[in-house]
Amino acid sequence: MTRVLVVEDDPQLAKALVINLQARQYGVDAAPDGATALRLAAAGPPDVVMLDLGLPDMDGVDVIKALRGWTRVPVLVLSARRASDEKVAALDAGADDYITKPFSMEELLARLRAAVRRTEDMPLAPETTLVETDGFTIDLLAKKVRRAGHDVRLTPTEWHLLEILVTNPGRLVTQKHLLQEVWGVSVSNKTNYLRVYMAQLRRKLEADPSHPRYLITEPGMGYRFER
Ligand code: CA
């Protein structure tokens, strides 16, 4: 049984979520505030966390940061906040996805299923070191890329970026995460580095680099590899 921790201080919404999730055979714990959420998560680690950002005792972003200190459990943010900075802050803190209130229960359940699927896909099993697309093939073990029967030469930086994206297929990887992983924290404001290297990767891998099929930009947020 997939266990969901619902963190929501609006009692009506919390109740609706619990009823709908239980009706679909999820195991559900509910927390009305951040402190209870962290206590419940530590007592019995959930498979997914659904988290409201506006909680009475602490900011939802701080709940994400606290969780990320010890777990990679998927966090789906339920946000009434439309400002994209809030969403970016939540994603940078380690949220996996967000949905803006008001949302339909069907959409929420679809996002939940996707979040669960992504954890089942990861980490990449050692035998699945080949990432194949219609356009190119990446051998993660040999660190080689082949396109149209030829090896594609990548710089170490290009390789590092590509490796992070393809090992998170279908998933938004934030600019901040990529900058930290590839260049270190000291240049975390240098998003122009990313643009330059992503453009190079697209020239080497995409049939039409100005309309990428595989290396997708999420404006203002980051990048996504679509197989
Ligand atoms: Ca709230």
Side-chain angles (χ1 to χ4, degrees), residues 61-84:
V61 172
D62 292 326
V63 175
I64 300 170
K65 287 178 183 163
L67 286 171
R68 284 293 172 258
W70 61 275
T71 174
R72 293 188 50 79
V73 62
V75 176
L76 174 55
V77 164
L78 314 176
S79 175
R81 306 175 189 188
R82 287 173 191 280
S84 72

Side-chain angles (χ1 to χ4, degrees), residues 8-9 52 54:
E8 171 59 68
D9 61 319
D52 178 28

Side-chain angles (χ1 to χ4, degrees), residues 86-107:
E86 296 290 349
K87 290 169 185 166
V88 172
L91 292 168
D92 278 343
D96 297 85
D97 199 1
Y98 63 83
I99 185 165
T100 304
K101 296 178 189 174
F103 47 78
S104 78
M105 198 56 71
E106 289 312 312
E107 185 185 359

Side-chain angles (χ1 to χ4, degrees), residues 42-188:
D47 297 303
V48 184
V49 176
M50 278 187 189
L51 176 69
D52 178 28
L53 284 185
L55 295 169
D57 61 335
M58 58 198 285
D59 194 297
V61 172
D62 292 326
V63 175
I64 300 170
K65 287 178 183 163
L67 286 171
R68 284 293 172 258
W70 61 275
T71 174
R72 293 188 50 79
V73 62
V75 176
L76 174 55
V77 164
L78 314 176
S79 175
R81 306 175 189 188
R82 287 173 191 280
S84 72
D85 321 4
E86 296 290 349
K87 290 169 185 166
V88 172
L91 292 168
D92 278 343
D96 297 85
D97 199 1
Y98 63 83
I99 185 165
T100 304
K101 296 178 189 174
F103 47 78
S104 78
M105 198 56 71
E106 289 312 312
E107 185 185 359
L108 180 73
L109 292 165
R111 301 284 191 98
L112 176 65
R113 288 192 295 273
V116 172
R117 263 201 311 277
R118 282 195 295 269
T119 46
E120 285 167 352
D121 290 348
M122 292 189 334
L124 236 51
E127 61 272 20
T128 58
T129 54
L130 274 191
V131 177
E132 295 186 71
T133 73
D134 292 339
F136 50 86
T137 303
I138 301 166
D139 185 332
L140 291 168
L141 205 58
K143 296 191 186 291
K144 280 188 173 222
V145 183
R146 285 182 73 79
R147 181 179 173 205
H150 295 94
D151 284 340
V152 178
R153 286 182 181 276
L154 297 183
T155 67
T157 301
E158 290 166 353
W159 172 262
H160 199 170
L161 272 177
L162 183 66
E163 186 179 40
I164 294 169
L165 290 169
V166 300
T167 52
N168 290 281
R171 193 171 175 193
L172 171 68
V173 182
T174 62
Q175 294 172 344
K176 185 176 177 187
H177 179 77
L178 288 170
L179 286 166
Q180 279 178 338
E181 287 291 315
V182 179
W183 286 278
V185 284
S186 59
V187 291
S188 59

